[in-house]
Every structure is written in C-alpha cells, then in structure tokens.
Amino acid sequence: MDQYRSLKDHVYDHIAQAIDSGRLAGDDKLSEQQICDALNVSRTPVREALIQLASDGYLENLPRKGFHVKAMNEESAREIVEIIGPLDGRAALLACPRMDEDDRAQLQFLHESMQLAIAKSMLKKYDDLQHEFHDYYVQRCGNEKLIGYVRQLNRYFMKREYAHVDHDKQIALLQQANDEHAEIVRLFLAGDATALQRYVRDVHWSIDNAPFLVW
Amino acid sequence: MDQYRSLKDHVYDHIAQAIDSGRLAGDDKLSEQQICDALNVSRTPVREALIQLASDGYLENLPRKGFHVKAMNEESAREIVEIIGPLDGRAALLACPRMDEDDRAQLQFLHESMQLAIAKSMLKKYDDLQHEFHDYYVQRCGNEKLIGYVRQLNRYFMKREYAHVDHDKQIALLQQANDEHAEIVRLFLAGDATALQRYVRDVHWSIDNAPFLVW
DNA sequence: ATACTGTATATTGTATACAATCAAGAGAAA
DNA sequence: TTTCTCTTGATTGTATACAATATACAGTAT
C-alpha cells in the first residue's frame, strides 16, 4: 500500500522543514514563483500548501501581498508559555494510566540520558532528549487533538537560542529542569496522575520562573 | 478602508456557516463542483477554502476522494472534554486581572439572565447566554492563540442536542451549571484568579461529571 | 535634493484546461 | 444470482492563462 502524497503535501513538508530548521525565519517573505522553480511544480499546489501552512500557524498571509514567516516575538512567546503548561499537564494526566512497564523504563532512561548530557555539557543533545522526553508521554495521551496542539506549541521551542546566556548559568538551568524531570518520572512510576498533572502544569511549566522563555 | 475579502474567504465563510448552523453535518461529502455552481466561482478559490477548512478542523480530506464534514462522535467529544477545562480555566486566570468594574457587572448580568432563562424554561436562550458568558472572559484573556483554541473547541458545543433527555432533568442540569456560573462570577468579583482557574478547570469542566457530554 | 506622478514590471487572485484516478454500471463468466 | 472485468463518466490533482493589484523606478515639478 503505497500511500499517495500530493505535490501540495510535498511543498508543505519542504517549507515546514525549512522553517523548523531555521533556514527560513524572521519575517522572510515567501515568493510563490521561487518555490515553484525550486521544486519544479506549478503555483497551484504551492498556493494550496501556503494556505495550509498559514492555517497551521507557520505563516501569515497579508491579502494581496503574499505570505511571510510568522516571526517569534515577545508576545507570541508569552502566549505559548501561558498555554503550554495546562496542555502538557493534561497530556501527562491522560498518559499516566496508559503507560506500561517498558514506557516507564523509557522515561527513566531518557531522564538519565539528559543527566549524562548535562555532565558532558552537550547542550544540543540535551535539547533533543528533552523534546523526546516530553514527546514520549504526550504521544501516549490518547488524544489526537491534544497531541496536535502540543506539537504546534512546541515548534517554537525548537529554535531556542542559548547564545546570550553564559555557559555556567545555562548548565544550572538545565540541571534544574532535569531535576524536575526526575520528579515527573517519579510520579509516572508512582502512577499518581493527579499529582503528576499538577506538577507538570504548575511547577515544570510555571509561568513565573519560566526558564524556557529564552530566545 | 474597505477591507479586501477574497473569494476564498467568501467560500470559507459560506461552508463554515453551513456547518455551524447544522445545514451540513454527519459525514456529508462536499462536491467542489456543486459549491462552484452555488457561489458562481471557479474551483480554485473553492479548493483553497476547503483546504483551509480542513486545516481548521471543519473538514477531513481523503486523498483523491475529496472533502467531507468531520463527524462528531464519541471519541472526538471525549477529546474535546479532556482539553477544554485546562484551556478555559487558564483563560479565566488570565482574564481575571484584566477585568474592570463594567466587565464584572456584565458577567453578573449574564448569570442572572441565564437564571431567568431557566425559570422560563427557555433552553435555547440559556444556551446562547452561556456561550456569551464564557466568550466574555475568554475574549478578554489577552492571548489570541488561546482564544482561537477555545473558539475551535466550543464549535462542537454549538450543535448540542437535548432531545433525548427529559425536560425536568434538563432543567436540573442547567440549574447546576448556572450555580457553578454563580461561583465563577463570585471569584471574578473577588479577584481570586488562582481559585478561579482551579474552579473553572476542575469543577465546572470536570471530566467525570461532565453534564455537557450530550449530543 | 525631495516629493510627486505616471508607467512598466512583478506578484497575487481567479478561471480554465488538461491529466490522473475513482465510482458506477453494463455485460460476461461462474 | 453472484462476481468479475471493462468501459464510461465523474471527480480530484495539477498546470497554465488571464485579470487585478501592488511594487519599483524613471521623470518631472517644487
């Protein structure tokens, strides 16, 4: 069963990846013609992909003036931080009773891997593992709509930059975050879904001391 | 300043309204040609609107087989109930410190109007007021992304049907809901944002005794 | 030099044309 | 009758053509 992928989907993935990888950023304007030339397709599938990307929050569409990449600014960062906690916490709550022994072992393994990454100052590695950690239980919450929301919100954390924070301070922040991961793992192991939700929502994603508000 | 509205937007509104109003429902298949004929436009803006509607959760797109209205079923209803509480609660938390005297008076007025609607057994009127009540503080939470999410989730509650519940039972459910609204108003007046968030999230939108899971 | 105006070019929005796939029905084989 | 295959028409996916608007730039007036 070879699953059909339209040119629209192909274009969609191409642009989405370019944005996620940071190759397209800021308020970059997208030229339809340029995309057509690059991918050897006509404007129809390109426009359809752009409309979908705009609907999914990747782009913005100024009527009669085209599409441009939605810039990350203070305001949208604040909006994301205000929402992610309740959603991630709810995902943890729902995932908790759906985890089996192997799942819990995976979470523990990821936590210890992150600790290793911190010890070796492998910041990028830590970042990847952190996403994998959160993704792991979100993917198992059994709520497709919730999974979609969290995925969309997390996209913005992909492009975080650490440049303007000095290295020691950065390590300290990661260590704090991973201590929280330890508690999250503990609550998953204990199977205390309610406490888990509260901890993820109110502590790990605390609006106040959000150490993740770093771009 | 006449703001430009493309044919795509026109088509989008047309279909969205047809779905919201219930004129299109179930798994109804949408014929592109039929829409073209009805609105006297070509397939291009129609397809663009359909793609956006699918991205916004109105429709589903089976490759090579077209678009059909996303049906409401047990599963998607459960998914919505699992998400709406944390989001609506967070919206209330954020809105609370942004409310002025007039806003609080509006909420109180809406609450009392709902009580009146219950007393007169005006179920449809109550429903409208309830939406207005929740919308009122959500619209003032200062988080556009959150507003969008709640709006999308609430679409599904628009088409709720009361038919299979007897009238007295229905009135009792509405009375309970409005008692909760009273508490919500009280917390808004008290300015206790934290308690408000908790109440909206854990009591009013409680997963367990969700009296709103009625289609 | 600066600001304005008109024109040429580029880009977006929409319509139409063509290609690929799907769905329905007729007819043949079991 | 049932099932299979083939064919035909309908529908979707893509390309191209055309129309409407926006952008850039040259030339002119101040």
Side-chain angles (χ1 to χ4, degrees):
Chain A
M1 169 183 174
D2 66 333
Q3 88 178 43
Y4 173 76
R5 285 191 69 71
S6 63
L7 293 186
K8 179 201 74 177
D9 296 334
H10 183 65
V11 174
Y12 184 101
D13 293 341
H14 181 81
I15 308 289
Q17 195 200 357
I19 294 175
D20 284 338
S21 74
R23 272 185 25 242
L24 276 172
D27 281 304
D28 291 357
K29 190 173 180 175
L30 297 186
S31 160
E32 297 182 4
Q33 195 58 50
Q34 199 170 314
I35 299 169
C36 294
D37 298 342
L39 302 183
N40 262 320
V41 296
S42 75
R43 277 182 58 218
T44 305
V46 168
R47 279 183 59 82
E48 293 186 349
L50 292 178
I51 287 168
Q52 199 174 329
L53 285 161
S55 218
D56 289 347
Y58 278 97
L59 308 177
E60 230 163 358
N61 182 13
L62 302 180
R64 285 280 176 203
K65 296 177 102 179
F67 295 82
H68 62 90
V69 179
K70 210 182 214 175
M72 170 58 66
N73 54 36
E74 280 292 328
E75 188 186 355
S76 52
R78 171 186 58 78
E79 292 199 344
I80 290 162
V81 169
E82 286 174 352
I83 303 176
I84 187 72
L87 289 182
D88 201 38
R90 182 51 58 102
L93 170 80
L94 297 172
C96 191
R98 302 167 62 95
M99 302 288 244
D100 60 24
E101 268 318 308
D102 181 59
D103 290 327
R104 288 188 273 269
Q106 288 294 325
L107 285 183
Q108 199 151 21
F109 176 79
L110 286 168
H111 163 60
E112 289 170 17
S113 298
M114 282 187 273
Q115 198 55 51
L116 201 59
I118 292 174
K120 308 222 173 216
S121 289
M122 299 167 72
L123 270 54
K124 181 70 175 66
K125 184 65 179 174
Y126 175 89
D127 224 39
D128 293 343
L129 288 168
Q130 183 181 50
H131 285 119
E132 206 179 327
F133 179 80
H134 284 275
D135 249 31
Y136 195 91
Y137 59 80
V138 170
Q139 291 293 335
R140 284 159 182 76
C141 74
N143 187 320
E144 286 303 321
K145 199 175 276 287
L146 177 53
I147 291 173
Y149 285 168
V150 174
R151 171 188 303 281
Q152 186 182 342
L153 294 175
N154 268 327
R155 276 216 317 272
Y156 294 96
F157 288 100
M158 298 291 192
K159 295 174 281 191
R160 205 169 5 145
E161 290 167 13
Y162 297 111
H164 64 299
V165 183
D166 74 88
H167 183 268
D168 286 354
K169 175 70 175 167
Q170 187 60 45
I171 292 291
L173 284 174
L174 298 190
Q175 185 59 60
Q176 184 199 329
N178 207 36
D179 289 346
E180 294 173 9
H181 293 149
E183 175 66 4
I184 291 171
V185 169
R186 193 186 71 73
L187 290 167
F188 265 117
L189 291 176
D192 191 344
T194 303
L196 173 63
Q197 169 175 241
R198 188 164 45 229
Y199 187 82
V200 170
R201 182 187 63 212
D202 298 331
V203 179
H204 190 56
W205 290 108
S206 164
I207 293 184
D208 304 322
N209 63 320
F212 296 100
L213 235 179
V214 181
W215 271 271
Chain B
M1 170 183 174
D2 66 333
Q3 87 178 45
Y4 172 76
R5 285 190 70 72
S6 64
L7 293 185
K8 179 202 75 176
D9 296 332
H10 184 64
V11 174
Y12 183 101
D13 293 341
H14 181 81
I15 308 291
Q17 195 200 357
I19 293 175
D20 284 339
S21 74
R23 269 184 26 240
L24 277 172
D27 281 304
D28 291 358
K29 196 188 222 163
L30 296 185
S31 161
E32 296 182 4
Q33 195 57 51
Q34 199 169 316
I35 299 168
C36 296
D37 298 343
L39 302 183
N40 262 321
V41 295
S42 75
R43 276 182 60 218
T44 305
V46 168
R47 279 183 59 83
E48 293 186 348
L50 292 179
I51 287 169
Q52 198 174 330
L53 285 160
S55 217
D56 288 348
Y58 279 97
L59 308 177
E60 230 163 357
N61 182 8
L62 301 180
R64 286 278 176 206
K65 297 178 96 180
F67 295 82
H68 62 91
V69 179
K70 209 182 214 175
M72 170 58 66
N73 54 36
E74 279 293 328
E75 188 186 355
S76 51
R78 171 186 58 79
E79 292 199 347
I80 291 163
V81 170
E82 285 174 353
I83 303 175
I84 187 72
L87 290 181
D88 201 38
R90 181 51 58 101
L93 170 82
L94 297 171
C96 190
R98 301 167 63 95
M99 302 289 244
D100 60 23
E101 267 318 308
D102 180 59
D103 290 327
R104 287 187 275 269
Q106 288 294 325
L107 285 183
Q108 199 151 21
F109 175 80
L110 285 169
H111 162 61
E112 290 170 17
S113 297
M114 282 186 272
Q115 198 56 51
L116 201 59
I118 292 174
K120 308 220 173 212
S121 289
M122 299 168 73
L123 270 54
K124 181 70 176 67
K125 185 65 180 175
Y126 175 89
D127 224 40
D128 293 343
L129 288 168
Q130 183 180 50
H131 284 120
E132 205 179 329
F133 180 80
H134 284 274
D135 248 32
Y136 195 90
Y137 59 80
V138 170
Q139 290 293 337
R140 284 159 180 77
C141 74
N143 187 319
E144 285 302 321
K145 199 175 276 286
L146 177 53
I147 292 173
Y149 285 168
V150 174
R151 170 188 304 282
Q152 187 182 342
L153 294 175
N154 268 329
R155 275 216 319 272
Y156 294 97
F157 288 99
M158 299 290 192
K159 295 174 283 190
R160 204 169 7 142
E161 290 167 12
Y162 296 111
H164 64 302
V165 182
D166 73 90
H167 183 267
D168 285 354
K169 175 70 175 169
Q170 188 59 45
I171 292 290
L173 285 174
L174 297 191
Q175 186 59 60
Q176 183 198 331
N178 208 35
D179 288 347
E180 294 172 10
H181 292 151
E183 175 66 4
I184 291 172
V185 170
R186 193 187 69 76
L187 290 167
F188 265 117
L189 291 177
D192 190 344
T194 303
L196 174 63
Q197 169 176 241
R198 188 165 44 231
Y199 188 83
V200 170
R201 183 187 63 213
D202 298 331
V203 179
H204 191 56
W205 290 108
S206 165
I207 293 184
D208 304 322
N209 62 320
F212 296 100
L213 236 178
V214 182
W215 270 272

